[in-house]
Amino acid sequence: MLEVYDSDYREADIVDIDAAFSKLILEADDNMNNLVKSIDGGTLIDSYTFFDRFGVKLYVSELSTGCKAAICVYCNPDKIVDLQECGLNARDAIFNYCENGMVLLHDFGVTIVDEKIRKTAISYAGHEYSISTFNEVVL
């Protein structure tokens, strides 16, 4: 379950996305590749490199901050990750692809694009939602 917290009531465990990402030992899998493809338009090659949207081979340290945040959510399901520096595409990818994790959401004014992928619930303020009901009720 993806747990969502409001910045008025909780603090994040991971605020410095680049620092947290640099400590990860990535094990590239389909879920992580879906995040990279959805956010940066790239494809993971292995734990250290990826092809960007133009086919250029780069180190994973060159992924966008939003993509790094999504990977932090995926790899650290027991820590609250601050999404302050994420763009909307990264936030949407997290809601669509990360089945477990915790996020600190700052912007409750923009609806989430529902790619009809998520089958698990989103938890917020003691209630469970699908993306569509989260958009309707919370956002």
Side-chain angles (χ1 to χ4, degrees), residues 30-67:
D30 288 342
N31 290 330
M32 202 176 298
N33 205 31
N34 286 334
L35 290 169
V36 172
K37 185 174 184 172
S38 177
I39 299 167
D40 283 352
T43 305
L44 285 173
I45 300 168
D46 54 35
S47 299
Y48 305 102
T49 56
F50 74 104
F51 286 121
D52 72 1
R53 65 187 57 193
F54 305 108
V56 177
K57 185 177 180 178
L58 301 169
Y59 290 106
V60 293
S61 61
E62 298 178 74
L63 289 165
S64 69
T65 302
C67 193

Side-chain angles (χ1 to χ4, degrees), residues 60-81:
V60 293
S61 61
E62 298 178 74
L63 289 165
S64 69
T65 302
C67 193
K68 290 176 184 177
I71 292 171
C72 284
V73 171
Y74 178 70
C75 291
N76 297 293
D78 59 331
K79 295 184 178 174
I80 300 173
V81 178

